[in-house]
Amino acid sequence: MKERHMSFRFYQNKISINKKLRHINYVFIFLIMTVCSVGFMTLYSVENGNIDPLVSNQILRFFVGFIMMLIIATIDINFWIRWAYVIYGITILLLITVEITGSVNMGAQRWINLKFIQLQPSEIMKIALVLALARYFHWLNCYNVKRSLYLIPPLTMIIAPVILVFNQPDFGTAIVLTMTGGVIFFLVGVQIWKFITIIAFGLAAIPIIWNLMHKYQRQRIITFLDSESDITGSGYHIMQSKIAFGSGHIFGKGFLLGTQNHLNFLPEKQTDFIFTTFAEEWGIIGSTVLLLLYTMIIFYSYKMSLQACSQFARLIGLGLITSFFLYVFINIAMVTGLIPVVGIPLPLISYGGTSMITTLFAFGLILSVYIHRNVYISNNI
Amino acid sequence: MIRDNNRIKIIGRRALILGSGKLVILSVLIGRIYYLQILETDKYTMLAEANRINLHLLQPIRGKILDRNGTPMAINQQNYRLMILSKQVSNLSNILDNLANIISISDHDRIRIIHENKRQRGNTPIIVHENLSWEDIARIEINTPNIPGVIIDVSQTRNYPIERFGVHPLGYISAASVTDLLDSSDPLLKLPGFRIGKTGIERVYDLALRGKAGIKQVEINANGRIIRELRHDESKPGIDLNLTIDINLQQFVGQRLGNESAAVVVIDVNSGEILVMVSTPSFDPNIIIRGINYEEWNDLISNPRAPLTNKAIAGQYPPGSTFKLITALAALESGIIDKDKMIFCSGQMSLNNNIYHCWKKNGHGSLNLIDGIKNSCDVYFYEISRCIGFEKIAKMAKCFGLGTQTGIDLLEERAGIIPNREWKLSNLGKSWNQGETLISAIGQSYVLTTPLQLAVMTARIANDGYAVRPHLTRDIVDGVNTIPRPVPNWSNLGISKQSLAIVRRGMFAVVNDPGGTAYKSRIKDNEMIMSGKSGSSQVRRITLHERSIGIKKNKDLPWKDRDHALFVAYAPEIQPRFACCITIEHGGSGSTNAAPIARDILIEVQKRYLHQNINSTKTIQRNPNSHDSVMEDFIKKSSNDQNEIENFDIRERE
């Protein structure tokens, strides 16, 4: 039934700009704006009730990002498949540049200073990798997917940036890249036993990776394993974060009333640990509502992606939303003490330009996938 | 197209699996948040409060201690302290260097400060220097910019204006020791520089004197800076205590004792109030408050005359001949003798092939009980103790408060020893022999008493057999409150008035009859007449050899081997009011060395209080004394012959 429907599907390669705007999923836009507003509100509280500088900066970035998102949503999807490898290649070059000349920031090389904006190639790579993999698997038919030889190029595409990002060192992003790549492999139908094999190899490689790790990264893992043992030392962040959560209870301490937040007990409270600030002031009600908003964003992304007729579009949508999901999960699991502190922001909420811009960029692509759901993409570009 | 449909099928299925996986993971996150925010909320709420709120204890002002007339014995003075707030100091040794240019900081202090800084986590300041002078304060104030985190704070320190004359009953305060911290949950003890009572009244009534801490609750931020004050409860000062001690008398006695190692207790025979409790040598408790150094402390603890010990309650001495009063009472009460019982003293007495000597080598001849007491004839008491046995004597001694704690409000009190068969068997594992009855009856062998016990014993004899108990505070201290002391209603000891009158007659004779051992020390003022009993207790055995070559005089012996000189007395003879006990460690003879001190003290006491109807002399219910008229005759008679035998020198020796 479905197959029949699919075979008679009407491909529409030229869509007017009006029609494109009409096909924007406005519920999705509304969800994004709501979550961002929660972010502005929390930043307002972090700044003890001041708009400047955090909230105003963040709102400015949001508007820039939002307009960019709408522009990207309307760009023909064929553009992205055509330029996917180029974007990927440039991003790899940027990563290498960072590796060689990148300025030292926070003890890690992550930024390229372009005077007007500090560029973080690893953030771009999350999108570039999804684009490149989507293009590859769009080209690869489902029989060849089963053949291991054809999996070597995409594996290389994943491993190369992962090593570069890991070297920066940015543990969190490396994990997100690896897992996003893995999810795309999973979606295109790579056999389960291959995953099991790779995971088994990965586990076997843990001792080697351990030795390659920076001392502070090892310390973070050690701290995680026994976070409450030294509350003034390295476990301080996690402990203070848990205290903020726990003292929030059902309804929280109230907007602008979080003591952990306002008395500066919380670490990195406007960036990585912002969820803690929010949870302290809004309690379990607030944190659950925020998580539900994230869930709905993810749900709508799935819904939009799976309606696309091309493999490339589907993979972009699902790959990018997976990366988004991983960010949300890792960040919240980190601040609640479930996993080690890896330094990953909470998308749409944490203060920071690159994160906001790249997330909205990704959402622009997801919207584009939906708008161009009926656009045919050739296998031979 | 089929190929593409196949891809759609796969991706749809796998996306479903993936989406479900994500939902599960998000549920795990919600579960985790539920765990933290609902299940563990109490723990974390408490920790958040602990983060946010700092409690500062406000030190209460310690209660004053006053003497019976309201003269201060322990007061508080302002103490300017230099402190470092360690949280505001980044480089401690730098600050200390800067400070050292302004005031002197010893290496010892420096190490202590650095050590304390490492150890502590809260924001209790560290004391650098106490008792700053005005000059120091001025210099520090000028240099404030160079020494951030350094503050000057005013606190109260204890001061004892009477210095060394009051320290033994009064005690002193000092920093809480580790055991004090374990014993008490009072957070005050952890305050820097907080001191608690260590001995004497300061220790017994520490909780009442200490007061209650106030609390200041402040909100702080992560750097420990105070944001605002949330609560401020003032501290409650400790109560002021009035003692029964008379500071002037105390000082008089202290000076009268001079360099002797001695103890003196003066007690009101009716109320049990202690007017004087002196132990010499003494020390100035202010040096402990100021901070005693090692040498000074070492001097105090290594001094053989034990200045730190309150000898009046913790010194245990053989009572010597003063114990004969008890032996006499036991014999009289048992009915085997009356006051006319004649016993012949040849200077010695033999029992079971042992010879027991009287202090008078040639003997006293034939004497009755009163003469026996007056002359302190050992043989007389050997003989009567042999007849009644020591059990009855021991019982009488206990009845008069010997061998048990008197219950005075001091914790250092010791019980002394009144031996008997049972005691010897359980403590020494040996059976009692009859010879011990004889020497115990004259207050030697195992018998040990404290000066306070002897004073109480004398008081009980003087007040006609009422079980008066000593105390040091005017009011009863109950926990942290005081209750006015009720009119004393001591129980009767059940000793016949007649026996007591006979013993008192003997004590009268000791001082006032010519030939009495303390005749030289009598009080000639008829209103203040003193009665008493001397005692010289031997601290070493006299060997047969020594006896044969002649017993050495006390002054020829090394200090440690000399006899203890004792004298118990009461006055005035008619309606006695005051009893006292003088004990001079290794002071030689009681009659020559202790009795004159007793006389001087009792004169001084009576001068002040005999005609003063102060609350100390609430008279207890007692029957009109039938013997008073008899005594008055004696007094008249004896004061007539007092000039005849002025220079009667006597030295007693048991």
Side-chain angles (χ1 to χ4, degrees), chain A residues 3 6 11 137-138 140-143 183 186-192 195 228 232 236 239-240 242-243 245-250 253 259-260 263-265 275 279 283-284 287-288 291 295 298 302 306 309 311 314-315 318 321-322 325 329 332-333 336-338 379, chain B residues 1-53 121 219-225 227-228:
Chain A
E3 275 170 42
M6 283 295 176
Y11 292 113
F137 286 112
H138 179 79
L140 194 69
N141 64 47
C142 64
Y143 305 112
V183 162
F186 176 77
L187 287 171
V188 299
V190 173
Q191 299 96 315
I192 303 292
F195 286 96
E228 296 190 16
T232 55
Y236 181 81
M239 191 62 207
Q240 292 299 344
K242 281 199 213 164
I243 289 174
F245 264 98
S247 58
H249 201 38
I250 296 176
K253 292 176 188 164
T259 56
Q260 288 284 97
L263 300 172
N264 283 329
F265 286 101
F275 189 65
I284 194 166
S287 7
T288 311
L291 267 175
T295 311
I298 293 165
Y302 266 70
L306 289 172
C309 69
Q311 181 79 338
R314 287 191 292 264
L315 287 178
L318 294 175
I321 202 60
T322 298
F325 163 81
F329 164 70
I332 294 176
T336 52
L338 275 179
N379 273 356
Chain B
M1 222 18 73
I2 288 167
R3 200 183 60 195
D4 203 53
N5 283 344
N6 211 349
R7 290 216 290 210
I8 290 171
K9 242 164 72 181
I10 291 170
I11 203 169
R13 197 168 57 225
R14 293 222 165 167
L16 192 68
I17 296 169
L18 193 67
S20 316
K22 283 176 184 171
L23 274 181
V24 170
I25 289 173
L26 287 170
S27 313
V28 168
L29 286 186
I30 297 215
R32 175 65 175 175
I33 290 167
Y34 177 79
Y35 170 77
L36 286 177
Q37 300 204 287
I38 307 294
L39 300 183
E40 291 276 86
T41 187
D42 289 346
K43 174 184 166 192
Y44 290 116
T45 305
M46 203 188 71
L47 286 171
E49 289 294 291
N51 259 347
R52 178 173 83 95
I53 290 165
R121 289 211 127 153
E219 187 173 59
I220 55 152
N221 68 7
N223 303 321
R225 180 152 306 178
I227 305 295
R228 65 198 161 110

Side-chain angles (χ1 to χ4, degrees), chain B residues 569-635:
Chain B
Y570 65 88
E573 180 53 43
I574 296 159
Q575 289 203 340
R577 288 269 304 277
F578 307 104
C580 75
C581 170
I582 322 292
T583 308
I584 306 172
E585 278 188 331
H586 310 292
S589 152
S591 52
T592 42
N593 298 333
I597 296 175
R599 173 195 62 202
D600 293 348
I601 291 169
L602 283 178
I603 288 174
E604 197 65 27
V605 173
Q606 293 183 84
K607 260 197 219 156
R608 281 165 204 271
Y609 292 109
L610 198 55
H611 296 295
Q612 204 181 324
N613 193 18
I614 53 163
N615 57 0
S616 72
T617 52
K618 291 162 196 156
T619 42
I620 55 166
Q621 307 268 312
R622 47 196 277 190
N623 301 326
N625 292 326
S626 53
H627 69 278
D628 277 357
S629 54
V630 184
M631 294 310 290
E632 274 169 68
D633 288 343
F634 276 123
I635 294 161

Side-chain angles (χ1 to χ4, degrees), chain A residues 28-248:
Chain A
F28 191 65
I29 301 259
F30 172 76
L31 286 172
I32 291 169
M33 288 171 78
T34 312
V35 173
C36 284
S37 308
V38 169
F40 304 147
M41 193 185 70
T42 312
L43 286 173
Y44 179 76
S45 174
V46 165
E47 272 293 276
N48 296 318
N50 286 316
I51 299 285
D52 287 320
L54 297 185
V55 184
S56 53
N57 278 349
Q58 189 78 348
I59 288 178
L60 188 69
R61 285 165 185 157
F62 172 73
F63 275 114
V64 171
F66 190 76
I67 288 161
M68 188 192 64
M69 175 179 81
L70 292 181
I71 292 168
I72 285 165
T74 53
I75 291 174
D76 193 285
I77 199 146
N78 275 300
F79 171 84
W80 298 110
I81 196 163
R82 204 172 298 129
W83 293 95
Y85 288 153
V86 178
I87 293 169
Y88 177 82
I90 290 171
T91 314
I92 288 280
L93 285 176
L94 285 173
L95 279 174
I96 293 169
T97 316
V98 169
E99 175 79 19
I100 297 165
T101 65
S103 56
V104 173
N105 196 333
M106 302 274 290
Q109 298 166 17
R110 290 180 188 179
W111 311 84
I112 287 181
N113 200 341
L114 294 180
K115 303 299 173 197
F116 62 96
I117 188 171
Q118 293 218 309
L119 200 61
Q120 213 173 341
S122 57
E123 291 283 324
I124 303 171
M125 183 45 88
K126 284 182 304 182
I127 292 166
L129 180 66
V130 172
L131 285 174
L133 288 175
R135 174 166 176 177
Y136 182 82
F137 286 112
H138 179 79
W139 165 79
L140 194 69
N141 64 47
C142 64
Y143 305 112
N144 289 337
V145 163
K146 309 261 190 248
R147 292 161 70 177
S148 299
L149 199 67
Y150 284 98
L151 293 180
I152 291 172
L155 262 180
T156 320
M157 277 187 230
I158 298 169
I159 290 169
V162 165
I163 288 174
L164 285 167
V165 169
F166 193 85
N167 251 354
Q168 284 184 347
D170 186 348
F171 195 42
T173 308
I175 289 175
V176 172
L177 287 176
T178 314
M179 293 181 80
T180 308
V183 162
I184 290 177
F185 272 54
F186 176 77
L187 287 171
V188 299
V190 173
Q191 299 96 315
I192 303 292
W193 66 264
K194 286 182 182 162
F195 286 96
I196 294 169
T197 315
I198 290 197
I199 289 169
F201 273 108
L203 288 177
I206 281 179
I208 302 160
I209 295 170
W210 182 259
N211 280 331
L212 289 173
M213 275 184 180
H214 274 249
K215 203 177 171 191
Y216 86 93
Q217 288 169 327
R218 284 187 212 160
Q219 188 55 47
R220 279 173 172 179
I221 290 170
I222 292 167
T223 303
F224 164 68
L225 293 175
D226 189 13
S227 67
E228 296 190 16
S229 63
D230 179 16
I231 59 156
T232 55
S234 41
Y236 181 81
H237 286 190
I238 292 172
M239 191 62 207
Q240 292 299 344
S241 176
K242 281 199 213 164
I243 289 174
F245 264 98
S247 58

Side-chain angles (χ1 to χ4, degrees), chain B residues 103-219:
Chain B
I103 54 160
S104 69
I105 298 176
S106 69
D107 287 348
H108 182 263
D109 275 344
R110 210 189 157 93
I111 292 163
R112 173 185 61 85
I113 292 161
I114 290 170
H115 180 71
E116 274 181 36
N117 184 47
K118 270 187 205 146
R119 203 180 41 182
Q120 71 147 337
R121 289 211 127 153
N123 56 347
T124 2
I126 303 165
I127 297 171
V128 178
H129 208 288
E130 293 207 57
N131 301 312
L132 292 170
S133 67
W134 281 113
E135 241 174 72
D136 289 336
I137 294 169
R139 258 181 297 170
I140 292 161
E141 294 284 348
I142 291 166
N143 287 291
T144 315
N146 302 331
I147 40 174
V150 171
I151 53 163
I152 293 173
D153 138 295
V154 191
S155 76
Q156 304 274 326
T157 43
R158 205 62 160 167
N159 180 271
Y160 301 100
I162 51 162
E163 296 175 350
R164 65 194 172 89
F165 291 112
V167 62
H168 287 113
L170 199 52
Y172 55 84
I173 58 171
S174 181
S177 68
V178 179
T179 34
D180 293 332
L181 286 172
L182 290 177
D183 288 351
S184 167
S185 58
D186 193 339
L188 268 176
L189 265 55
K190 289 176 187 131
L191 272 188
F194 189 76
R195 292 187 164 93
I196 59 166
K198 287 290 178 171
T199 62
I201 289 290
E202 292 270 38
R203 179 172 170 208
V204 180
Y205 297 121
D206 189 54
L207 284 181
L209 289 164
R210 192 188 289 174
K212 214 169 163 285
I215 286 175
K216 194 169 79 171
Q217 220 178 27
V218 291
E219 187 173 59

